[in-house]
Amino acid sequence: MEEIIFPNQIRMYRRLRGRSMQELADHLNVSLSAISKIEKGYRRVDQEQLVRVAEFLDCPLQDLFVNEQNSQQEIVLAWRREQERRNKINEKSGLKTLGAGLRQIRNEKNLTLIEVAESADMTLSVYHRIEMGQREVSEKEMKNIAKALKMTADDLKAQIKELDEKGFLEEIIQRNDAKYKLLSTPRGAIASFGSNLAETSMISVFGTTGRNGNVLIDPEEEVKKVVCPVSLQNKKDAYAVNLCTRRLGNLLPSRSILFADPQEPVSVGDIAIYYANEEEAQIVAVREDDAGNLYGIRWNPDERIDFDNNDLQRLHRVVFISL
């Protein structure tokens, strides 16, 4: 079963620019089939790929997403209908219960998402969608996940069934539904939050312009406060940063705000805030070399930043971007 990720206007802009699907596929280093699925909203793209698409099509990043202001109403309505249909399929097939059970058991064993994903030979993105109840799991994958949790597949299934019968998974399912609804609105994966935010919860914004495109962050001097995204309200370490650098080019408006969660694991394709020292940070796209080592990329001009194991603790994942 294919999942619907988000509606986009990539195909429209590609045709307006006179570019072919093959050219876009070559630019992203993916297959022609992958581009077709991306344009239809059936394949997930990470933050760095979105930036590269906008750069290739010479358009602002926010224009790639369907929203109520600049898209035809029938497109938005069709998206909503498809989301509801897929959500019902997932619910009937038990994916939500499976995902909630895996999350509960993982938490009981004090394991992180990335630890289980790596042990199960999965990407972090794939395993996260499984725990969110938005992806089917093959028997082989189930065995790998069970092994990562130090269980047999049969024992894992039996424990999830027992947790469900005792009613322990309902709260997790409700939280997952709320988070999925927030991340999959027609505004897209990078959203302008509006009504999805709690009016009473605020979050501090830091960041002033530094040298060489760096951002100066002083935890004692907040620039302002903004409304906090719902999913970050209980994250005491979460904070926001002004996009006061042009090292991302003109793909994001200068008024954009990046929301960071230091507790979220950083993986390939993420946008992250990297602390070069205690006061200066850099906005980087996270990539991986042939040896499996993570490194960062900045643009205008292009610059590679190599990380060692200690540096990974100074990488804070950007989880939302408010345009």
Side-chain angles (χ1 to χ4, degrees):
M1 180 185 65
E2 290 181 308
E3 61 172 330
I4 298 295
I5 305 303
F6 61 82
N8 63 69
Q9 301 190 124
I10 294 175
R11 176 170 294 178
M12 181 191 75
Y13 273 98
R14 178 177 58 76
R15 289 174 173 173
L16 283 175
R17 301 294 188 261
R19 310 305 292 266
S20 69
M21 291 178 66
Q22 188 61 61
E23 287 176 315
L24 182 55
D26 292 342
H27 183 73
L28 294 182
N29 195 28
V30 299
S31 68
L32 196 61
S33 173
I35 293 299
S36 177
K37 291 181 178 180
I38 287 171
E39 290 189 349
K40 293 177 181 178
Y42 286 98
R43 174 170 172 142
R44 188 178 299 273
V45 288
D46 60 42
Q47 292 172 331
E48 183 186 349
Q49 286 176 319
L50 286 170
V51 170
R52 294 179 66 195
V53 169
E55 184 179 37
F56 179 75
L57 299 177
D58 190 26
C59 69
L61 187 61
Q62 67 266 30
D63 286 359
L64 294 178
F65 299 99
V66 170
N67 60 65
E68 292 87 345
Q69 283 70 45
N70 66 7
S71 304
Q72 297 178 349
Q73 186 177 11
E74 56 266 29
I75 295 178
V76 176
L77 292 177
W79 157 252
R80 288 174 176 166
R81 287 194 297 269
E82 186 63 21
Q83 277 294 87
E84 291 173 0
R85 187 178 75 84
R86 294 282 169 170
N87 209 35
K88 289 179 181 178
I89 291 175
N90 289 350
E91 188 169 6
K92 289 180 180 178
S93 62
L95 297 186
K96 292 184 178 181
T97 300
L98 172 62
L102 291 175
R103 174 163 295 190
Q104 176 68 22
I105 294 169
R106 176 176 60 79
N107 288 336
E108 289 176 355
K109 293 179 176 291
N110 294 317
L111 295 170
T112 65
L113 275 167
I114 196 167
E115 286 174 335
V116 175
E118 289 180 348
S119 297
D121 196 25
M122 294 179 174
T123 66
L124 182 61
S125 174
V126 166
Y127 182 70
H128 181 253
R129 296 206 303 276
I130 290 173
E131 282 203 0
M132 290 289 289
Q134 299 299 328
R135 185 185 182 280
E136 290 181 325
V137 184
S138 68
E139 283 299 319
K140 180 180 179 181
E141 289 173 331
M142 193 68 178
K143 290 179 180 179
N144 287 344
I145 293 172
K147 184 177 179 181
L149 295 172
K150 298 178 174 56
M151 305 172 67
T152 67
D154 289 340
D155 287 343
L156 178 57
K157 292 175 184 178
Q159 188 166 339
I160 291 174
K161 182 179 179 182
E162 182 179 352
L163 288 169
D164 183 39
E165 290 174 348
K166 291 182 178 180
F168 292 158
L169 303 182
E170 187 59 34
E171 183 179 350
I172 297 176
I173 292 173
Q174 290 177 1
R175 288 202 306 267
N176 284 348
D177 283 347
K179 183 175 181 180
Y180 186 72
K181 183 177 180 181
L182 176 65
L183 293 176
S184 59
T185 63
R187 291 175 179 266
I190 298 177
S192 176
F193 292 101
S195 60
N196 286 326
L197 300 180
E199 296 180 358
T200 57
S201 181
M202 307 297 287
I203 191 169
S204 296
V205 180
F206 305 94
T208 56
T209 302
R211 60 182 181 177
N212 300 323
N214 290 356
V215 179
L216 300 178
I217 298 179
D218 185 346
E220 301 298 326
E221 295 186 13
E222 66 180 35
V223 177
K224 58 183 175 181
K225 285 186 179 290
V226 295
V227 180
C228 180
V230 172
S231 60
L232 292 179
Q233 287 181 13
N234 295 321
K235 301 291 186 69
K236 62 179 182 179
D237 295 328
Y239 63 98
V241 173
N242 275 325
L243 185 63
C244 52
T245 173
R246 291 267 56 93
R247 292 303 293 267
L248 285 178
N250 296 317
L251 297 173
L252 293 174
S254 58
R255 66 178 182 276
S256 299
I257 297 175
L258 311 181
F259 293 83
D261 184 357
Q263 303 306 317
E264 282 286 327
V266 175
S267 58
V268 178
D270 285 339
I271 301 295
I273 298 171
Y274 169 63
Y275 284 81
N277 55 56
E278 292 183 358
E279 297 179 350
E280 289 185 297
Q282 301 165 342
I283 312 300
V284 301
V286 180
R287 295 184 181 177
E288 185 178 45
D289 61 22
D290 294 338
N293 300 312
L294 296 182
Y295 66 94
I297 285 291
R298 296 204 296 173
W299 299 279
N300 303 311
D302 288 356
E303 178 185 1
R304 171 171 171 155
I305 301 171
D306 291 304
F307 307 132
D308 59 30
N309 290 334
N310 293 328
D311 286 337
L312 297 181
Q313 299 177 3
R314 294 188 281 164
L315 276 171
H316 296 175
R317 182 185 174 198
V318 173
V319 293
F320 291 113
I321 301 177
S322 179
L323 302 175

